[in-house]
C-alpha cells in the first residue's frame, strides 16, 4: 500500500566480463587495486585466459581480506565475476 524507501531492493549483477570490467574500472579509479594487478586482470579478460583468471580471482580475494569498505566488497565481486 505504501512506499517504504528503507526497503529498497538489492541490485544483483551477473558474473560476466562486462561486469568484471566495470568493477575493475571502479577499483582503478578509487585506487583500490594495484596497477599491476589491474593490468593483469585486464590482460586476462582480453585474452579470455580462464586459467589466469582463476589464479587472479584467488589473489583478489586475498587482497579483499586486507582491504576495507567498498573496495573490499568490489574486490570480492570482481573475483566472483572472473571465476
Amino acid at each position: 500500500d505504501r512506499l517504504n524507501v528503507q526497503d529498497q531492493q538489492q541490485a544483483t549483477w551477473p558474473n560476466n566480463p562486462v561486469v568484471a570490467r566495470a568493477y575493475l574500472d571502479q577499483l582503478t579509479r578509487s585506487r583500490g587495486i594495484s596497477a599491476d594487478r589491474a593490468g593483469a586482470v585486464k590482460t586476462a579478460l582480453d585474452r579470455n585466459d580462464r586459467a589466469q583468471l582463476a589464479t587472479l580471482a584467488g589473489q583478489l580475494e586475498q587482497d579483499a581480506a586486507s582491504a576495507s569498505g567498498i573496495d573490499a566488497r568490489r574486490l570480492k565481486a570482481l573475483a566472483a565475476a572472473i571465476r
Side-chain angles (χ1 to χ4, degrees):
D1 291 20
R2 298 166 101 175
L3 173 65
N4 181 352
V5 294
Q6 294 177 347
D7 188 31
Q8 295 178 4
Q9 297 295 320
Q10 178 74 24
T12 57
W13 303 102
N15 291 331
N16 66 42
V18 173
V19 173
R21 289 178 193 279
Y23 284 126
L24 183 58
D25 181 60
Q26 291 169 352
L27 284 161
T28 301
R29 283 194 267 155
S30 71
R31 297 192 175 132
I33 189 171
S34 71
D36 291 340
R37 181 89 72 223
V41 171
K42 183 181 181 314
T43 300
L45 283 169
D46 290 344
R47 294 181 182 165
N48 195 22
D49 185 342
R50 295 179 191 266
Q52 183 64 24
L53 289 169
T55 300
L56 287 165
Q59 293 170 350
L60 290 167
E61 288 173 347
Q62 290 176 347
D63 293 347
S66 63
S68 62
I70 190 74
D71 287 337
R73 290 192 297 271
R74 286 178 180 156
L75 286 163
K76 289 177 186 176
L78 176 57
I82 65 174
R83 278 207 188 273

